[in-house]
Each structure stands twice: as structure tokens, then as C-alpha cells.
Amino acid sequence: MGSERITVDEMLMRMAETCALRGTCTRKSVGAVIARETRVISTGYVGAPAGMPHCLDVGCLIDPHTGGCIRTLHAEANAIAFAARKGIATEGSTLYTTLSPCLACAKLIVPAGIACVKYSSEYRDKSGVEYLELANIRCQLL
């Protein structure tokens, strides 16, 4: 049987990529997985909060100042919020995301106690990663 075993990082990033397929914003699909000791503890994707209209159904709601969609929550924020809602500790965990975090998500990652962020592509604005690095949170492009 000569199958090649993927690494834990590859497995968790593929899970984040699968989460991104659930995204409901037409502008960008992003997925996130929070793992501790190689086990998934929370997931998230870009989408409106439960019970609110999704971009796929009613279109994006664009902020006139930033040009970004404000109807949705980012994948990282959704994963952190779900863990908090269910009482799942994120301290010391690793966040896998398909896009490097924006500054707003970075500001959630720091107090969540996430120790490391791994991402598969870079967001055009690098301020989120810079903020995380200032907070001594390891960041890695996979």
C-alpha cells in the first residue's frame, strides 16, 4: 500500500479549506479551525450570524468607508465566538485559517489566548499578522 500520510498541519488546513466551502459571503470564502494538541476544538467560516440574512440570499452590505462587507462575521471570529459560547478554552491552541487574519480578527485572537496562527494565503493588509507578532503570537504561512 504506498499511500503518503499527510502532516497534522496539512490535515487541519484541509479542514479549514472545507469549512471555507460553507461561507456565505460572495466576496471571499474563508474557513478557520482551532485545534489544541492536534484535535479540533472549534470551526468557523465567513457568514452572517445565525438567523440573520446571508449575502448569498440578499447580497453583501458594503461599508462605504472600508469597502468591506459588514453583513458577515469573519471565519476566525466565528470560530472564537463558538468556542466561547460553548465554554471551550482556546488558550494555548493553534488557529488554522485559509487567509491571514485582518486586524479586527487579530484583536480577538490575542485575548482568546491562541498561541499560534497558521494560514494558507496572505490577506492584502498585513496589519493583522503584524499585530499578532507584536503580541508574541507565532504566525506561519503554510
Side-chain angles (χ1 to χ4, degrees):
M1 259 180 143
S3 67
E4 291 186 34
R5 187 174 188 213
I6 63 173
T7 67
V8 170
D9 281 344
E10 289 170 324
M11 176 188 72
L12 293 167
M13 188 57 74
R14 286 184 189 184
M15 289 180 179
E17 291 165 356
T18 299
C19 289
L21 297 174
R22 291 279 305 151
T24 62
C25 184
T26 58
R27 297 182 57 133
K28 187 76 175 165
S29 287
V30 178
V33 168
I34 301 174
R36 189 181 321 102
E37 297 176 13
T38 74
R39 302 293 182 171
V40 174
I41 60 172
S42 188
T43 63
Y45 53 85
V46 173
M52 297 187 73
H54 291 286
C55 298
L56 289 176
D57 300 324
V58 297
C60 292
L61 183 59
I62 303 302
D63 182 319
H65 303 292
T66 66
C69 180
I70 57 174
R71 184 177 306 284
T72 64
L73 296 172
H74 289 183
E76 304 92 329
N78 265 326
I80 292 167
F82 178 81
R85 184 170 151 190
K86 297 298 182 180
I88 302 168
T90 55
E91 189 168 5
S93 64
T94 298
L95 172 71
Y96 291 82
T97 181
T98 58
L99 186 66
S100 62
C102 68
L103 182 57
C105 287
K107 289 180 177 182
L108 295 173
I109 291 166
V110 172
I114 293 169
C116 181
V117 175
K118 298 183 180 189
Y119 51 93
S120 58
S121 63
E122 292 183 315
Y123 182 51
R124 59 181 155 74
D125 179 357
K126 310 246 186 301
S127 61
V129 170
E130 291 166 358
Y131 185 88
L132 292 170
E133 289 173 342
L134 282 174
N136 294 316
I137 294 174
R138 293 177 291 126
C139 296
Q140 181 182 2
L141 173 63
L142 294 180

